[in-house]
Amino acid sequence: MQIIDGKQVAQRFRGELKKRIDILAGKGIVPGLSVILVGNDPASASYVKGKEKACLELGMHSDNLHLPQDLSQEKLISIIEEKNADPRIHGILVQLPLPSHINEEAVIMAIDYRKDVDGFHPVNIGRMVIGKETFLPCTPHGILVLLKSAGIPVAGSHVVVVGRSNIVGKPVANMLVQKNGLGNATVTVCHTGTKDLAHHTRQADIIIAAAGKAGMITADMVAEGAVVIDVGVNRVDDPTKKRGYRLVGDVDFDQVAPKTSFITPVPGGVGPMTITMLMSNTVESAERSIKE
Ligand code: GUN
């Protein structure tokens, strides 16, 4: 069993990104990312901090907006429109979930798809599905890069995805079926409506657990020698910790790990890759801005 060190892979990838950022600097361009957080969800605040830190470490321009919970949808959209028009901003990310009075779809649609570094705009999702160049969603792309870096063969493998969210399950399944260098897999997508989930997961060469349910993938659901990618980030109460909780994935790590050939930990697996792919999309957007 080998633990895939997402932090290390992310660090290597960021080293390559830094070179591209330096080339852009020579042309007078600093890639700029605007991260918009509405409200006070503690998990979202922590993700946003991580994105800001990565930007600054790479010498990128970080434009962070922390807006009140009761902000109107109209006001949010007008702020997005300002960022769409701002040439210093190459990427715009609105942290999800949004407060319930704001329509997520309307907000995503307001982002110029050429600055949609999350890859959530229907134009970018559509391009991804038909295999055209686009901004790939960050977590799915990070997973594919992680698999490649660990030398795990994806082409021809049977990948079972557990979860069908717009952020992870649906896009990662789509990317994996593409006939390209990172994909070409056979994909099964399981979800809350799946009958006998364990029957499916046991057939997998690679399991991608992205259901958002702590410890739901147990040892009996995993074939000997399978690869397990854990996308879950769940907070569970833990009075022994100073902050009162700890982070666990969707996989029961202690029980499952000994059966696997490769497994990602939580934290330190997929998480650092998500942020790295966001930086990569922002750099790519800045590069495109001089080509146009
Ligand atoms: N919330 C959880 N993951 C993500 C993400 O990748 N992007 C955005 N915008 N919000 C999220």
Side-chain angles (χ1 to χ4, degrees):
M1 184 270 294
Q2 228 175 300
I3 294 177
I4 304 177
D5 184 344
K7 264 197 216 161
Q8 199 180 56
V9 178
Q11 215 50 48
R12 269 208 312 270
F13 200 98
R14 287 183 201 188
E16 293 303 309
L17 266 186
K18 184 79 184 104
K19 293 180 197 161
R20 287 162 63 189
I21 293 167
D22 290 343
I23 293 171
L24 283 167
K27 296 175 179 172
I29 293 190
V30 180
L33 174 65
S34 186
V35 176
I36 301 173
L37 171 65
V38 185
N40 295 309
D41 176 56
S44 290
S46 145
Y47 294 145
V48 163
K49 221 184 267 171
K51 289 162 187 171
E52 183 181 14
K53 186 163 165 264
C55 262
L56 298 177
E57 277 172 10
L58 283 166
M60 291 165 54
H61 170 53
S62 165
D63 171 60
N64 267 288
L65 281 142
H66 188 176
L67 304 165
Q69 174 80 18
D70 61 357
L71 184 84
S72 72
Q73 179 172 318
E74 232 177 6
K75 179 70 187 150
L76 177 57
I77 289 179
S78 82
I79 290 169
I80 291 170
E81 283 165 354
E82 274 172 37
K83 303 297 170 193
N84 283 342
D86 184 342
R88 291 167 306 173
I89 299 299
H90 303 96
I92 301 168
L93 177 145
V94 179
Q95 186 65 31
L96 302 178
L98 286 165
S100 56
H101 66 278
I102 298 179
N103 180 314
E104 248 166 43
E105 196 186 336
V107 169
I108 291 170
M109 288 292 282
I111 299 171
D112 183 335
Y113 72 92
R114 292 163 297 187
K115 295 191 179 187
D116 165 40
V117 286
D118 251 334
F120 290 172
H121 191 287
V123 168
N124 290 325
I125 293 172
R127 289 181 63 86
M128 173 192 75
V129 172
I130 60 172
K132 295 279 179 208
E133 196 189 340
T134 183
F135 292 124
L136 293 171
C138 303
T139 300
H141 192 197
I143 292 168
L144 268 55
V145 172
L146 213 48
L147 289 168
K148 184 167 190 230
S149 76
I152 294 161
V154 172
S157 295
H158 181 200
V159 183
V160 175
V161 178
V162 183
R164 56 173 153 191
S165 69
N166 288 339
I167 296 182
V168 184
K170 281 186 214 162
V172 82
N174 262 295
M175 287 164 68
L176 283 161
V177 293
Q178 299 292 330
K179 197 172 180 178
N180 64 21
L182 290 175
N184 224 7
T186 301
V187 182
T188 300
V189 183
C190 299
H191 43 73
T192 45
T194 299
K195 250 199 287 181
D196 197 358
L197 175 63
H199 164 78
H200 295 281
T201 55
R202 276 197 293 265
Q203 316 294 316
D205 300 308
I206 301 171
I207 297 174
I208 298 180
K213 217 168 138 195
M216 72 168 292
I217 304 294
T218 48
D220 58 303
M221 299 168 76
V222 179
E224 204 65 50
V227 174
V228 175
I229 304 293
D230 191 351
V231 190
V233 186
N234 308 292
R235 289 183 178 203
V236 295
D237 291 340
D238 186 345
T240 69
K241 301 276 180 204
K242 209 163 75 189
R243 34 181 203 184
Y245 67 88
R246 70 196 147 88
L247 293 180
V248 300
D250 287 359
V251 177
D252 180 348
F253 186 90
D254 293 343
Q255 302 296 321
V256 170
K259 286 187 89 173
T260 63
S261 55
F262 290 91
I263 187 165
T264 61
V266 176
V270 173
M273 294 304 293
T274 297
I275 296 186
T276 304
M277 295 305 124
L278 177 69
M279 301 300 125
S280 171
N281 280 348
T282 307
V283 170
E284 195 172 314
S285 179
E287 289 167 346
R288 282 184 202 165
S289 75
I290 39 178
K291 277 189 214 138
E292 274 166 7

